[in-house]
Amino acid sequence: MTSSETAPVAIISRNDDSRLGTPLLVFLHGYGSNEQDLMGLSRYLPEEFTYLSVRAPLQAGPGFSWFPLTQEIDYSIESVGQSVETLWELLEPLSKQHSSITLLGFSQGMAMATSLARYQRDAIAAVVGLSGFAVEPRDLEIFDDEKVLQNPIPLFWGRDLADPVITRDKIEYTLKWVSQYTELTSETYPQIGHSVSMEELEDVDAFLKKVVLGRE
């Protein structure tokens, strides 16, 4: 761990025996934010879940990031792998205490959510990605896309087609990847920019109830 990294920090919606055996949903925030950012979304999502929100390990301005970004939203593939492995070290013990693990990532958090699912496919029930992208692996050996191909990930991907932050090359790769490796639910929301809307949260709620909780 470098001096710019912090120990894992997380907040959880219930931290007593009532969470044991419940489905766990893990919030992964965007670049420059923190673990408080997404926790409030839980009030709009199914009450059956226990909600865990994790702080990214690297300092980024007033907040934190999962891996360094340039202004062009390029990234170090090595640092992606390190953050994915660190996140799984935190979640792996919890996976034994909950009925399932679902990941919800916003922006860079979607990159982390899809990356962790590609690293530990058998452990992840579903992924929700909001205004984000999937990482192009290049030489990242921890991704097991062959396993994902055999068992595609249920993925909800919500975004504004005119998102001003996620660059076109990231979207083009993500479009290609999700079409091959996921059971995709894709929705677009005009005028939300790089944010989350109530309509989108209603769609995420329905997705979670259907895909993870088995309700129609």
Side-chain angles (χ1 to χ4, degrees):
M1 180 176 292
T2 70
S3 59
S4 62
E5 294 178 342
T6 63
V9 173
I11 52 177
I12 195 164
S13 61
R14 45 184 166 185
N15 198 21
D16 55 26
D17 288 348
S18 68
R19 71 176 175 83
L20 299 177
T22 62
L24 181 70
L25 187 142
V26 181
F27 290 119
L28 304 171
H29 64 76
Y31 182 88
S33 189
N34 60 55
E35 72 279 8
Q36 301 286 342
D37 184 42
L38 299 178
M39 199 63 169
L41 302 184
S42 62
R43 73 188 70 171
Y44 306 108
L45 302 178
E47 62 183 10
E48 289 91 339
F49 283 86
T50 295
Y51 292 92
L52 177 77
S53 191
V54 184
R55 178 190 296 177
L58 304 175
Q59 193 78 42
F64 300 88
S65 73
W66 299 101
F67 46 88
L69 292 179
T70 68
Q71 290 181 340
E72 293 76 31
I73 315 194
D74 205 355
Y75 48 83
S76 159
I77 199 68
E78 180 181 350
S79 65
V80 173
Q82 291 171 349
S83 275
V84 167
E85 290 176 322
T86 299
L87 179 60
W88 180 241
E89 288 175 6
L90 174 68
L91 297 181
E92 195 272 338
L94 293 174
S95 69
K96 299 176 174 61
Q97 301 172 2
H98 291 270
S99 59
S100 64
I101 295 181
T102 298
L103 308 173
L104 186 155
F106 174 77
S107 193
Q108 192 188 60
M110 176 180 171
M112 280 297 295
T114 50
S115 294
L116 181 59
R118 297 161 81 175
Y119 173 48
Q120 295 289 337
R121 173 65 192 96
D122 292 342
I124 306 304
V127 170
V128 175
L130 308 178
S131 300
F133 62 98
V135 165
E136 189 170 356
R138 302 172 196 154
D139 298 323
L140 193 60
E141 295 180 356
I142 68 168
F143 284 4
D144 191 351
D145 275 354
E146 187 59 39
K147 179 174 282 189
V148 180
L149 187 64
Q150 296 168 7
N151 184 19
I153 304 164
L155 172 69
F156 178 95
W157 185 20
R159 63 191 177 107
D160 186 341
L161 294 175
D163 187 318
V165 173
I166 307 302
T167 53
R168 175 49 49 186
D169 61 313
K170 303 293 186 293
I171 294 297
E172 289 175 354
Y173 173 78
T174 305
L175 285 167
K176 178 181 177 182
W177 183 80
V178 298
S179 67
Q180 188 172 3
Y181 294 99
T182 75
E183 294 178 358
L184 180 64
T185 301
S186 178
E187 300 290 348
T188 58
Y189 306 91
Q191 277 81 55
I192 71 167
H194 193 66
S195 65
V196 179
S197 70
M198 281 305 305
E199 179 187 2
E200 186 173 27
L201 289 174
E202 290 171 0
D203 291 340
V204 171
D205 178 68
F207 172 83
L208 294 172
K209 287 174 178 174
K210 179 179 179 180
V211 172
V212 183
L213 302 180
R215 289 198 238 143
E216 290 296 335

